[in-house]
């Protein structure tokens, strides 16, 4: 069985995550290829797509949200993801049991005496009547459980009832509170019943966009358990490798494996990007000493394919500034490439009518 070292896995990650080169493809196709983009922070997917697609402009994604062809809903790891409408209908049922389990493990102590089936039955019609904030809906039925704070009831409802957050939240250049309605009410279609076939398809899509990867990586990305049954069904059609730790890595037969020495341009990743979070073993993209940053909401800079810094954009007096904090010393050539890429990124944050943006790199 062939062994893939960290460099080979890194270049595979970059290629399959559309980060080795920008791709000329429709936004919806990119979102589906990536099996969604992390969207805890509502505007972060725009940066993720800008770094992956040639000529991407924010209105292209905003239009998908406004036309209900893309939505933001709880999926992998009980976190908000931006997915196409088609994926929302197919994937939410696959994740529903995991979502409820994770919710209950977190909230059971603050929901004494709350029957989840009853809460679901009372809460669903409120969201289907019109979009509501979670706590707003919870207050309507809070008298049923005296002593339970509405915010906890609302948090539970976000999982029990398959919901989407509706625009203008998540629309570039707009601000909006988190108003929610049911998936079915928003999309006008029923959820697709879960089946072994839908789970198997999800595993294959993960491998196509993230592989080669171990079962533990698939589990860490999705939050799902019981994946070994799916893997056993799929195994005859998969190819296998080993990593340097000896772990078995699974892969789709046609998954691209670029030359490990393929040059990798700098890329700016949004907060919680799955290119970093989508693995149990993240060593292919981030050093162990920085792994903890991946769950803090830090925005990462990739240099030569690996996390080499964090970044933030601020806008003051009609001028955007991109501040980069390296996690290692950058060479002169790397700094020049990073600044050039950063200046291109700033164009998305700042209209042409405003003063030119500025890129600064903090010395390490």
């Amino acid at each position: 069985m062939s062994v893939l070292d960290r460099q080979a896995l890194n270049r595979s990650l970059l290629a399959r995550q559309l980060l080795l080169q920008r791709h000329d493809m429709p936004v919806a196709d990119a979102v589906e290829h990536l099996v969604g983009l992390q969207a805890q922070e509502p505007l972060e997917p725009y940066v993720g797509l800008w770094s992956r697609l040639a000529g991407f402009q924010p209105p292209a994604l905003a239009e998908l949200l406004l036309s209900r062809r893309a939505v933001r809903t709880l999926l992998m790891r009980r976190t908000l993801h931006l997915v196409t409408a088609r994926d929302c209908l197919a994937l939410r049922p696959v994740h529903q049991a995991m979502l409820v389990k994770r919710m209950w493990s977190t909230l059971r102590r603050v929901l004494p005496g709350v029957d989840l089936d009853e809460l679901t039955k009372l809460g669903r019609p409120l969201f289907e009547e019109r979009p509501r904030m979670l706590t707003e809906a919870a207050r309507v039925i809070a008298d049923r459980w005296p002593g339970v704070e509405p915010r906890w009831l609302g948090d539970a409802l976000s999982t029990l009832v398959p919901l989407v957050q509706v625009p203008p939240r998540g629309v570039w250049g707009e601000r909006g509170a988190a108003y929610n309605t049911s998936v079915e009410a928003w999309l006008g279609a029923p959820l697709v019943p879960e089946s072994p076939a839908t789970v198997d398809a999800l595993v294959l899509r993960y491998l196509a966009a993230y592989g080669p990867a171990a079962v533990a990586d698939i589990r860490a990305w999705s939050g799902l358990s019981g994946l070994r049954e799916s893997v056993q069904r799929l195994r005859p059609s998969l190819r296998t490798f080993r990593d340097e730790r000896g772990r078995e890595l699974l892969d789709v037969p046609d998954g691209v494996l670029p030359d490990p020495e393929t040059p990798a341009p700098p890329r700016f990743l949004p907060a919680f990007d799955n290119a970093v979070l989508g693995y149990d073993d993240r060593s292919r993209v981030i050093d162990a000493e920085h792994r903890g940053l991946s769950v803090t909401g830090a925005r990462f800079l990739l240099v030569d394919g690996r996390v080499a810094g964090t970044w933030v954009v601020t806008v003051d007096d009609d001028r955007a500034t991109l501040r980069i904090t390296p996690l290692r010393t950058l060479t002169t050539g790397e700094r020049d490439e990073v600044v050039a890429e950063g200046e291109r990124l700033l164009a998305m944050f700042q209209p042409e009518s405003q003063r030119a943006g500025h890129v600064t790199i903090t010395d390490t």
Side-chain angles (χ1 to χ4, degrees):
M1 190 180 298
S2 299
V3 175
L4 298 177
D5 63 18
R6 192 174 71 176
Q7 181 75 0
L9 291 174
N10 175 265
R11 291 311 192 253
S12 173
L13 176 156
L14 296 177
R16 300 189 195 192
Q17 284 289 299
L18 313 179
L19 292 166
L20 198 55
Q21 63 182 32
R22 282 187 168 86
H23 291 253
D24 185 10
M25 63 192 302
V27 172
D29 290 355
V31 172
E32 288 199 344
H33 169 76
L34 298 168
V35 202
L37 290 98
Q38 228 321 342
Q40 270 176 253
E41 299 295 333
L43 299 182
E44 294 299 301
Y46 291 86
V47 175
L49 290 169
W50 179 87
S51 289
R52 290 171 163 95
L53 300 182
F56 172 79
Q57 294 295 325
L61 175 56
E63 194 275 332
L64 290 181
L65 290 164
L66 291 168
S67 64
R68 307 191 187 193
R69 288 182 289 161
V71 297
R72 295 170 60 250
T73 189
L74 286 178
L75 283 174
M76 286 72 76
R77 306 181 303 278
R78 197 178 173 240
T79 56
L80 279 167
H81 276 70
L82 182 144
V83 292
T84 63
R86 175 169 56 184
D87 270 353
C88 178
L89 294 170
L91 298 183
R92 182 60 188 249
V94 173
H95 292 83
Q96 187 62 23
M98 175 272 294
L99 294 173
V100 173
K101 182 178 180 181
R102 288 196 172 198
M103 177 276 292
W104 189 239
S105 68
T106 301
L107 299 180
R108 64 187 305 167
R109 293 183 180 180
V110 294
L111 296 174
V114 176
D115 180 272
L116 298 186
D117 289 337
E118 183 180 5
L119 178 59
T120 304
K121 183 178 179 180
L122 293 175
R124 180 186 292 272
L126 298 174
F127 293 108
E128 293 182 335
E129 179 184 36
R130 61 175 173 83
R132 298 174 186 262
M133 298 183 70
L134 295 174
T135 304
E136 173 196 354
R139 288 196 182 104
V140 176
I141 56 178
D143 288 348
R144 175 62 185 83
W145 295 281
V148 178
E149 293 187 29
R151 62 171 172 158
W152 302 129
L153 293 172
D155 195 358
L157 283 169
S158 73
T159 296
L160 295 170
V161 182
L163 300 174
V164 296
Q165 290 189 1
V166 303
R169 191 162 179 86
V171 174
W172 188 263
E174 301 286 343
R175 292 186 178 183
Y179 282 87
N180 303 266
T181 190
S182 72
V183 169
E184 297 95 328
W186 188 249
L187 297 181
L191 294 164
V192 178
E194 181 189 1
S195 70
T198 57
V199 178
D200 291 357
L202 180 64
V203 171
L204 291 174
R205 290 178 64 187
Y206 171 82
L207 293 176
Y210 294 84
V215 174
D217 295 318
I218 309 172
R219 186 183 303 113
W221 167 76
S222 66
L224 299 174
S225 59
L227 291 173
R228 291 195 178 275
E229 294 179 3
S230 178
V231 169
Q232 288 304 113
R233 290 192 296 269
L234 294 171
R235 184 174 289 278
S237 65
L238 299 177
R239 58 179 177 174
T240 57
F241 303 93
R242 295 281 180 189
D243 65 12
E244 293 173 303
R245 295 169 49 195
R247 298 190 313 161
E248 181 186 52
L249 305 178
L250 307 171
D251 199 15
V252 290
D254 58 349
V256 61
L257 292 174
D259 184 328
E261 300 306 315
T262 302
R267 291 288 185 257
F268 289 91
L269 296 184
F272 306 111
D273 195 290
N274 280 329
V276 179
L277 292 185
Y279 301 92
D280 175 61
D281 181 355
R282 300 172 187 167
S283 63
R284 69 182 69 191
V285 66
I286 188 169
D287 294 339
E289 60 264 37
H290 304 310
R291 178 185 169 109
L293 290 173
S294 60
V295 294
T296 64
R299 293 162 159 176
F300 287 135
L301 165 69
L302 301 184
V303 177
D304 192 26
R306 299 187 61 78
V307 172
T310 61
W311 63 276
V312 63
V313 169
T314 57
V315 180
D316 298 300
D317 298 326
D318 294 333
R319 188 185 193 192
T321 300
L322 170 60
R323 293 182 173 86
I324 299 166
T325 303
L327 297 174
R328 66 166 175 82
T329 301
L330 302 178
T331 68
T332 299
E334 288 173 338
R335 290 173 70 96
D336 290 343
E337 290 182 352
V338 166
V339 169
E341 180 75 352
E343 290 174 343
R344 290 188 286 269
L345 173 64
L346 279 179
M348 186 172 70
F349 286 89
Q350 183 165 305
E352 294 181 3
S353 60
Q354 296 179 354
R355 291 188 297 157
H358 180 61
V359 179
T360 64
I361 300 179
T362 304
D363 291 331
T364 56

